[in-house]
């Protein structure tokens, strides 16, 4: 693999994703008061792209909110410290949104190539709208691509370098025993299969109580899915057509379906069936028994559940 060309490809998709999110926000699909700060040239995406990005955003936020709302036996305060680890975070603005909503976790850590984190650190430092959400005492280095504060960390790393990845997690002050939500949105597809397997193996061994969230052009029976079967206690995967139809609330679907004229149903179905949301669980603290798609509504169709105890050995 050409490391330089790979980095450039990933960075290009980051810019494209930010522009697509802004397109959704401008059309009223979702609220994000920060994404416009990361987009140089706003573009208007087609209705099918807008709807697809909305479905992706809605799935992540619903599962993330389930995680953040989970409580355990945390003593008299009744508040369990949680942390979020975003792999290949790019210009994602979820942390700032959670701050506005009063839902930010104890620690939020974002990782990406230095070329990306340097740009994001620069924007955070120069934009008071962003900087004020981090901390007035945050340490920001444009050259190093680092932002260090008590509850938010932005750090550079090549995810393929597992020893370095482990060092960065230590530098960020993450506690592997705390409940952790790990985000990997369109990240592993840019890595070779061995690197993807190494990352899954590392997360499964490092974080004993964790949700690994994946949005990808991927299927649960490929190499990555099989690695989740081997390494994690429970894994579930739904394609995005099922996520949109059965997991996004009906009233939200009705709302966004009125935003733009839409007649690309055949293409929509085909496109959404080629993306999926998968999540895998380690649950040493016994917190996530009710987590996931089936916690959404009264009775849902059974998802594709990958369970090591019932699957044939790969």
């Amino acid at each position: 693999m050409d490391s330089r060309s790979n980095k450039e490809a990933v960075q290009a998709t980051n810019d494209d994703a930010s522009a697509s999110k802004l397109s959704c926000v401008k059309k009223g699909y979702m609220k994000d008061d920060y994404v416009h700060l990361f987009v140089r040239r706003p573009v208007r995406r087609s209705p099918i792209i807008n709807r697809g990005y909305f479905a992706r955003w809605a799935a992540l936020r619903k599962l993330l909110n389930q995680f953040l709302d989970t409580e355990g036996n945390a003593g008299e305060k009744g508040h369990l410290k949680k942390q979020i680890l975003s792999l290949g975070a790019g210009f994602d603005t979820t942390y700032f949104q959670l701050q506005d909503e009063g839902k930010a976790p104890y620690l939020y850590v974002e990782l990406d190539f230095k070329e990306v984190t340097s740009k994001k650190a620069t924007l955070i430092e120069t934009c008071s709208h962003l900087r004020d959400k981090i901390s007035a005492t945050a340490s920001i280095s444009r050259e190093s691509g680092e932002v260090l504060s008590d509850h938010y960390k932005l750090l550079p790393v090549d995810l393929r370098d597992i020893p370095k990845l482990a060092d960065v997690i230590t530098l960020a002050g993450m506690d592997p025993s705390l409940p952790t939500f790990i985000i990997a949105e369109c990240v592993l597809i840019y890595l070779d299969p061995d690197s993807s397997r190494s990352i899954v193996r590392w997360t499964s061994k490092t974080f004993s109580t964790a949700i690994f969230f994946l949005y990808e052009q991927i299927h649960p029976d490929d190499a990555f899915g099989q690695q989740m079967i081997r390494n994690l206690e429970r894994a579930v995967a739904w394609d995005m057509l099922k996520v949109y139809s059965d997991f996004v609330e009906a009233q939200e679907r009705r709302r966004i379906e009125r935003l733009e004229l839409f007649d690309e149903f055949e293409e929509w179905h085909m496109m959404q069936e080629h993306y999926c949301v998968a999540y895998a669980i380690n649950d040493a603290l016994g917190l996530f028994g009710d987590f996931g798609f089936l916690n959404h509504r009264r009775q849902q169709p059974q998802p594709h559940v990958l369970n090591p105890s019932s699957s044939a050995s790969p």
Side-chain angles (χ1 to χ4, degrees):
M1 175 189 294
D2 184 326
S3 178
R4 180 177 178 181
S5 63
N6 181 67
K7 288 183 179 181
E8 291 173 350
V10 173
Q11 292 169 51
T13 61
N14 171 53
D15 294 339
D16 184 71
S18 296
S20 295
K21 290 175 185 175
L22 180 58
S23 176
C24 286
V25 170
K26 286 191 169 185
K27 292 299 293 185
Y29 283 82
M30 58 208 196
K31 184 177 184 293
D32 186 333
D33 295 331
Y34 304 95
V35 68
H36 70 279
L37 300 170
F38 295 93
V39 179
R40 291 183 185 178
R41 299 181 183 87
V43 294
R44 179 175 178 176
R45 298 296 194 209
S46 65
I48 195 170
I49 297 298
N50 285 337
R51 186 178 290 194
Y53 264 87
F54 165 78
R56 168 181 171 177
W57 172 85
L60 171 60
R61 289 307 304 269
K62 283 176 64 63
L63 292 173
L64 185 56
N65 285 339
Q66 282 188 27
F67 168 81
L68 292 171
D69 290 341
T70 299
E71 288 294 353
N73 297 321
E76 295 180 0
K77 293 183 179 179
H79 182 70
L80 186 63
K81 285 184 178 179
K82 302 185 187 76
Q83 52 195 12
I84 295 173
L85 173 62
S86 184
L87 304 176
F91 290 164
D92 184 60
T93 60
T94 300
Y95 174 77
F96 304 102
Q97 297 173 49
L98 292 177
Q99 280 280 28
D100 285 349
E101 297 166 17
K103 294 182 178 180
Y106 173 73
L107 182 61
Y108 199 111
V109 177
E110 295 185 327
L111 307 178
D112 212 317
F113 287 126
K114 183 179 177 181
E115 293 85 348
V116 175
T117 62
S118 293
K119 292 178 182 178
K120 193 167 190 176
T122 299
L123 285 165
I124 291 173
E125 185 176 40
T126 56
C127 179
S128 60
H129 196 41
L130 296 170
R131 191 177 64 250
D132 292 347
K133 292 294 177 182
I134 300 297
S135 171
T137 60
S139 171
I140 302 176
S141 171
R142 305 185 192 186
E143 295 75 19
S144 301
E146 296 182 356
V147 176
L148 300 173
S149 67
D150 289 342
H151 303 292
Y152 172 85
K153 306 284 198 308
L154 172 67
L155 293 164
V157 70
D158 186 329
L159 298 175
R160 294 169 293 188
D161 188 341
I162 300 300
K164 179 65 174 177
L165 182 57
D167 290 342
V168 166
I169 293 306
T170 300
L171 174 63
M174 297 198 82
D175 182 345
S177 69
L178 289 180
T180 306
F181 194 95
I182 302 162
I183 302 172
E185 288 190 274
C186 292
V187 173
L188 300 184
I189 196 171
Y190 295 102
L191 305 178
D192 60 275
D194 286 342
S195 294
S196 294
R197 283 191 287 268
S198 295
I199 291 171
V200 177
R201 189 180 304 114
W202 173 77
T203 55
S204 69
K205 291 181 178 178
T206 302
F207 300 98
S208 57
T209 302
I211 308 291
F212 191 113
F213 173 93
L214 175 85
Y215 174 85
E216 203 66 89
Q217 290 172 302
I218 205 165
H219 295 284
D221 56 354
D222 70 1
F224 180 85
Q226 290 299 316
Q227 191 66 29
M228 289 201 297
I229 292 174
R230 286 191 289 269
N231 283 349
L232 295 136
E233 296 171 10
R234 177 160 50 104
V236 177
W238 281 12
D239 68 45
M240 286 306 298
L241 185 60
K242 186 174 182 62
V243 169
Y244 180 78
S245 301
D246 294 344
F247 190 54
V248 177
E249 285 95 341
Q251 66 180 40
E252 271 291 272
R253 293 199 307 274
R254 287 193 294 268
R255 179 185 70 81
I256 67 105
E257 286 170 1
R258 290 194 295 264
L259 294 176
E260 297 181 281
L261 180 65
F262 192 90
D263 57 8
E264 305 166 277
F265 295 103
E266 184 176 350
E267 185 179 357
W268 163 254
H269 291 166
M270 181 177 66
M271 180 184 293
Q272 294 306 291
E273 287 172 345
H274 282 81
Y275 286 86
C276 85
V277 163
Y279 56 84
I281 299 173
N282 275 348
D283 197 9
L285 296 180
L287 299 176
F288 304 129
D290 294 327
F291 178 88
F293 294 136
L294 294 181
N295 190 35
H296 172 51
R297 285 190 265 184
R298 304 169 294 285
Q299 292 194 359
Q300 293 287 349
Q302 289 298 311
H304 187 148
V305 179
L306 309 178
N307 191 319
S309 62
S310 60
S311 300
S313 298

